[in-house]
Amino acid sequence: MPVNDPVGDMLTRLRNASRARHDKVVIPHSKLKLEIIKVLKDEGYIGDFVVHEQTVQNKRTVFPEISVQLKYGPDRAPAITGIRRVSKPGLRRYAAVREIPQVLGGLGISILSTSRGILVDSEARKQKVGGELLCTVY
C-alpha cells in the first residue's frame, strides 16, 4: 500500500516502537530517510542503524530497508520522548535562519532540509542557511 508521507510514516514507526519499548524498528529505505536517521544517530537519539536488503522469495524482488536500534536510558526510559512532523505534504513549512525554532529551549533538535543537505538546527544556524523544517525531536 503506498504511503503519501514516507517521512511521516518513518517518524510514526520510530515513535510507536520507542513507546512500546522495542529494541529495533525496520523502516523502508530512501535517501532522505537515511540522512534523517544519520542525524538522529549523530545527536544521540538512536543507537545504531544498518541498511540491508530483503528479498521476496517467489518474486525475486529486492526491497532495501533500514534497521534502527533504539536507545534507552536507565529504567528503559526512551531517548526519544517526542518526535513530531512539522512540514507536511499538504502544508510545507520553511524557516529562514533567524526563524529556526528552538525545541524545548534548546534541549531538543529541529531537523531541516537545506541547500547543504539535511542539517540540525544548530548546524544550520552556524552555516547561516534556512530550509524546510522537517521535524522536531526531544
Side-chain angles (χ1 to χ4, degrees), residues 89-107:
L91 182 61
R92 299 290 184 185
R93 300 283 182 165
Y94 296 92
V97 178
R98 294 190 173 117
E99 298 169 355
I100 298 173
Q102 282 193 341
V103 181
L104 293 178
L107 296 177

Side-chain angles (χ1 to χ4, degrees), residues 32-52:
L32 178 61
K33 292 179 200 176
L34 185 62
E35 291 300 315
I36 293 172
I37 293 293
K38 286 179 184 177
V39 167
L40 290 175
K41 182 179 180 342
D42 292 342
E43 294 296 317
Y45 285 101
I46 61 171
D48 200 8
F49 66 93
V50 176
V51 178
H52 58 88

Side-chain angles (χ1 to χ4, degrees), residues 2-113:
V3 177
N4 289 333
D5 185 11
V7 174
D9 178 60
M10 176 191 73
L11 298 177
T12 300
R13 286 177 190 230
L14 287 171
R15 182 184 319 111
N16 291 344
S18 179
R19 286 184 181 170
R21 307 285 198 271
H22 290 295
D23 292 329
K24 71 173 188 171
V25 62
V26 178
I27 300 168
H29 178 276
S30 77
K31 291 179 186 177
L32 178 61
K33 292 179 200 176
L34 185 62
E35 291 300 315
I36 293 172
I37 293 293
K38 286 179 184 177
V39 167
L40 290 175
K41 182 179 180 342
D42 292 342
E43 294 296 317
Y45 285 101
I46 61 171
D48 200 8
F49 66 93
V50 176
V51 178
H52 58 88
E53 295 180 350
Q54 177 190 17
T55 56
V56 178
Q57 291 179 349
N58 298 338
K59 298 181 182 177
R60 298 181 189 157
T61 310
V62 177
F63 297 108
E65 295 178 332
I66 306 169
S67 291
V68 179
Q69 188 74 29
L70 297 175
K71 190 174 182 181
Y72 297 97
D75 301 330
R76 293 283 289 175
I80 298 174
T81 56
I83 188 165
R84 194 176 128 246
R85 179 84 155 117
V86 178
S87 181
K88 301 173 183 171
L91 182 61
R92 299 290 184 185
R93 300 283 182 165
Y94 296 92
V97 178
R98 294 190 173 117
E99 298 169 355
I100 298 173
Q102 282 193 341
V103 181
L104 293 178
L107 296 177
I109 62 167
S110 294
I111 300 177
L112 290 92
S113 175

Side-chain angles (χ1 to χ4, degrees), residues 106-121:
L107 296 177
I109 62 167
S110 294
I111 300 177
L112 290 92
S113 175
T114 68
S115 58
R116 297 185 185 164
I118 305 296
L119 298 176
V120 181
D121 54 355

